[in-house]
Amino acid sequence: MKYNNVFLSLGSNISGKKKNIETAFEFIKQNNKISILKLSSIYESPPWGYKNQENFYNQVIEIETNLEPYELLVFVKSIEKKMGRQTAIKWGPRNIDIDILIFSDIIIKGDFLNIPHRFLLNRCFWLVGLNEINEQLNISGKNVWALLEREQDRDLIKIVC
C-alpha cells in the first residue's frame, strides 16, 4: 500500500481560534488512515483576500496517508462541516479552514481541488509553516526558504503553543 506525504493547513479567525485549530487537529488524528508526522507553530497573520475581518491563526501539519487526494478532500471538508463552518463571504471569517497544500508529488488542476494549492506561493503564512517543518522542501522547483526571502508579507506573529 502506497503512503503519501501530505501538508495540510489549519486556519481560524473566529473566537477560540487556537481551540478551533486544536479541535480540527484532533479530528484528523482520529482517522486511522492518517499518521501525523510534524506540526508547525501557530502563526497569526492578517486576513488575505477579504480584509475586513479578524486576524487568522494558521498552522501547517505534515501527515502520511494512504488516502487518495479526493478522499482526503472529502475527509477534511467533513471536519469543517462537523465544526459548523459556514461560508457567507468568499475568503471571509471562518471558525476552521483546512486546505491541502501539497500531496506527495501529485499535481491536480480541477474545479474542486488544486494540488499544490493554487495560492500556495502567495501566502507567506503557509510558506513559513512549511519551512519550519521542512527546510529542504521544494515547491515548483524552488526551496521554500528561497520563496520566503522574496515575500514582502512579513506581518506574522508566532504564537507559542
Side-chain angles (χ1 to χ4, degrees), residues 16-52:
K17 301 172 200 181
K18 182 175 179 271
K19 180 70 175 154
N20 291 336
I21 288 173
E22 290 169 347
T23 300
F25 178 74
E26 289 302 317
F27 279 125
I28 291 168
K29 275 183 24 179
Q30 291 172 11
N31 187 316
N32 63 3
K33 293 185 175 190
I34 294 175
S35 296
I36 307 296
L37 301 178
K38 293 181 185 172
L39 300 153
S40 77
S41 301
I42 295 176
Y43 291 88
E44 184 175 4
S45 63
W48 191 93
Y50 179 72
K51 303 283 187 191
N52 190 20

Side-chain angles (χ1 to χ4, degrees), residues 3-9 34-38 60-69 72 76 99-106 115 130 133:
Y3 285 91
N4 295 290
N5 198 47
V6 178
F7 293 89
L8 300 175
S9 165
I34 294 175
S35 296
I36 307 296
L37 301 178
K38 293 181 185 172
V60 174
I61 66 173
E62 182 179 7
I63 65 170
E64 186 176 72
T65 183
N66 62 355
L67 293 172
E68 294 298 322
L72 182 59
V76 298
D99 290 302
I100 301 170
L101 303 179
I102 299 170
F103 197 106
S104 292
D105 58 356
I106 294 174
I115 298 175
L130 287 167
I133 289 174

Side-chain angles (χ1 to χ4, degrees), residues 36-157:
I36 307 296
L37 301 178
K38 293 181 185 172
L39 300 153
S40 77
S41 301
I42 295 176
Y43 291 88
E44 184 175 4
S45 63
W48 191 93
Y50 179 72
K51 303 283 187 191
N52 190 20
Q53 59 184 317
E54 294 284 323
N55 282 353
F56 277 83
Y57 280 13
N58 298 282
Q59 182 174 44
V60 174
I61 66 173
E62 182 179 7
I63 65 170
E64 186 176 72
T65 183
N66 62 355
L67 293 172
E68 294 298 322
Y70 284 97
E71 291 175 312
L72 182 59
L73 178 65
V74 168
F75 174 64
V76 298
K77 293 304 171 194
S78 76
I79 293 171
E80 291 179 350
K81 186 175 181 180
K82 281 181 204 172
M83 291 183 63
R85 176 175 171 174
Q86 297 178 357
T87 307
I89 301 169
K90 184 174 184 163
W91 295 317
R94 48 205 175 270
N95 65 327
I96 194 65
D97 186 28
I98 305 172
D99 290 302
I100 301 170
L101 303 179
I102 299 170
F103 197 106
S104 292
D105 58 356
I106 294 174
I107 296 173
I108 297 175
K109 295 190 186 301
D111 293 335
F112 301 105
L113 182 61
N114 287 280
I115 298 175
H117 192 285
R118 64 185 175 154
F119 296 118
L120 179 58
L121 300 179
N122 302 103
R123 295 185 177 168
C124 187
F125 52 88
W126 285 344
L127 296 174
V128 167
L130 287 167
N131 185 68
E132 181 182 340
I133 289 174
N134 185 343
E135 294 176 353
Q136 304 307 312
L137 185 65
N138 288 305
I139 303 168
S140 300
K142 293 188 178 183
N143 179 271
V144 175
W145 181 250
L147 292 168
L148 273 170
E149 286 190 337
R150 70 164 174 76
E151 277 295 324
Q152 301 303 311
D153 180 14
R154 300 280 182 199
D155 298 334
L156 297 174
I157 301 168

